[in-house]
Amino acid sequence: MDITFGLACNNFVAVVSDMTAARSIMALKHDEEKIIQIDDKKLLACGGDQSSRVQFAEFIQKNMALNKLRNGLEMSNHATANFIRGEIARALRSRGAYQANCLLASVTDAEGPELYYLDYLGSLAKVKYTAHGYGSYFILSMLDAKYSPDLTPEQAIEVIKECIGGIGDRMIFTTKKFKISIIHLDDSSISEHIYVPSQS
């Protein structure tokens, strides 16, 4: 039931996630953090099985910090995406596979804003926009029509709100709250917004 999506534009990258923790037909809470900051310029949005999602996101976050302590360097966007993909693939070939689908949003001066799609089978792709979960059936078609690399953060938030509205109109279940996180290229700052769609 998790919904995560994101878009990378010329001056920023944004990721969005619902904030519902659910099991079977029951919603357990509506303030779950599914977007984790893995270093100063990188965010990892995860969806999937509750235990896999939390464990995997924290595992990546701590290993990124350990790598920085050991080497004194931050990994590039590309290297980080491939490290995450490698860990998913390694776990898949053992008895401890992670049932987690991820979006990596990152910004570096050399590479600029980038968005990477990773799934639980170890697929990796650099994309301009993408989505995971049941919401992707509706979000991807809306982003096909609305996405432009020249969007401003304010325009992107409006597009994101339209996507969330489309989910609310068309899906048989509703999500009460979404978190929007944006990494800006100019100062590498991260802005966060909580969006509560109107229940019509």
Side-chain angles (χ1 to χ4, degrees), residues 83-101:
F83 170 73
I84 295 170
R85 187 251 169 223
E87 293 303 319
I88 293 172
R90 189 173 293 110
L92 188 65
R93 288 157 177 81
S94 71
R95 292 184 180 215
Y98 296 107
Q99 299 298 313
N101 296 309

Side-chain angles (χ1 to χ4, degrees), residues 104-122:
L104 173 67
S106 51
V107 169
T108 61
D109 294 334
E111 296 166 296
E114 293 183 329
L115 180 66
Y116 291 88
Y117 171 100
L118 301 108
D119 72 8
Y120 74 102
L121 295 173

Side-chain angles (χ1 to χ4, degrees), residues 135-199:
S136 66
Y137 294 115
F138 310 105
I139 293 167
L140 290 174
S141 60
M142 296 181 76
L143 288 176
D144 281 340
K146 303 281 186 181
Y147 172 81
S148 166
D150 299 320
L151 290 173
T152 65
E154 293 76 20
Q155 291 170 328
I157 288 173
E158 290 307 310
V159 170
I160 288 165
K161 288 180 179 179
E162 285 185 46
C163 291
I164 292 169
I167 296 167
D169 290 342
R170 293 173 178 85
M171 291 188 72
I172 60 172
F173 62 89
T174 58
T175 301
K176 295 186 181 296
K177 197 185 298 184
F178 287 83
K179 183 175 182 179
I180 306 166
S181 297
I182 300 174
I183 313 175
H184 302 272
L185 176 62
D186 51 3
D187 57 359
S188 297
S189 64
I190 297 175
S191 58
E192 295 180 341
H193 311 271
I194 303 298
Y195 176 60
V196 179
S198 60
Q199 303 294 322

Side-chain angles (χ1 to χ4, degrees), residues 64-82:
M64 294 291 293
L66 177 62
N67 180 71
K68 187 176 178 181
L69 284 172
R70 282 180 172 168
N71 302 318
L73 298 169
E74 288 186 359
M75 294 171 73
S76 68
N77 299 346
H78 184 72
T80 302
N82 279 278

